[in-house]
Amino acid sequence: MVSIKSEREIELMREAGRILARVHEELEKALKPGMSTLDVDKLGEHIIRSFGCIPSFKNYNGYPASICVSVNDEVVHGIPNKHRILREGDIVSLDAGVIYKGYHSDAARTHGIGEISPEAQKLIDVTKQSFFEGIKFAKAGNHLNDISTAIQTYAESFGYGVVRDLVGHGIGSHLHEDPEVPNFSQKRKGILLRPGMTLAIEPMINAGRYDVAWMDDDWTVVTDDGSLSAHYENTILITEGEPEILSLV
């Protein structure tokens, strides 16, 4: 069942999204070679709590941290570690969520550490743009698969692999709600989009094939071929007109 949010719920989610956008801005400023991924997580949790929010991810289904920090060939759900040091030329995906007065916002960004290769920058840029290509279709009266198809078409036009094993999701008073939001085309149209729906749309794009594998920690997802991966996500609201991005200031 896909929930339609009330005006009160939408206002709470707007504030959650505004705060999460600030969290990402502060984390981006802090990133530098020599930091450990645990340093990133500790800073992220501190920032989230400084706004009076709760980290969505901490202890969610047993996940041990507040920020998913995924480096290079890690697609998502990288577990922060004091021994994992960010180095010049790495790319790092930061996935974070906040709970504000009972409502979630979820967003991810991929950043370069210091100077990165043109190929890595292109992957980051295309992944981000694939989100914006998708939400061109995030309008009342369209179907969910219109978003998915647009993301896949754009990313694959650059020869990239669109991850199949992980998808976006509805969001609200729970971190994960119906519907699932694939980044690749489905045979079915999917649900009809209606004003008041809130979705976390999150392209996960690999420089190589789309195949992924899970590491022994049962959380960290990596590219099967060792290629780089990037992740870009925002929480959005379906309106009577253009979609509203709640986690972008």
Side-chain angles (χ1 to χ4, degrees), residues 55-66 68 77 79 99 104 166 169 174-177 214 217-220:
S56 296
F57 299 166
K58 192 155 193 179
N59 300 318
Y60 182 78
N61 290 339
Y63 185 76
S66 298
C68 297
H77 305 158
I79 296 177
I99 309 170
H104 293 261
L166 301 142
H169 51 92
H174 295 86
L175 178 58
H176 292 104
E177 299 182 353
W214 268 255
D217 60 22
D218 291 330
W219 279 106
T220 308

Side-chain angles (χ1 to χ4, degrees), residues 17 48 53 62 69 71 77 92-94 108 119 125 135 137 140-141 145 155 174 179 197 200 209 215 220 245 247:
I48 290 169
C53 293
V69 187
V71 183
H77 305 158
V92 58
S93 297
L94 306 180
E119 293 79 12
D125 294 343
I135 68 164
F137 297 89
N145 193 49
H174 295 86
M197 290 180 175
R209 299 193 309 270
M215 301 295 283
T220 308
I245 304 176
S247 53

Side-chain angles (χ1 to χ4, degrees), residues 1-5 9 171-173 177-179 194-198:
M1 181 73 178
V2 180
S3 67
I4 303 297
K5 306 303 189 294
E9 290 176 306
I171 187 170
S173 59
E177 299 182 353
D178 289 336
R194 296 170 54 198
M197 290 180 175
T198 45

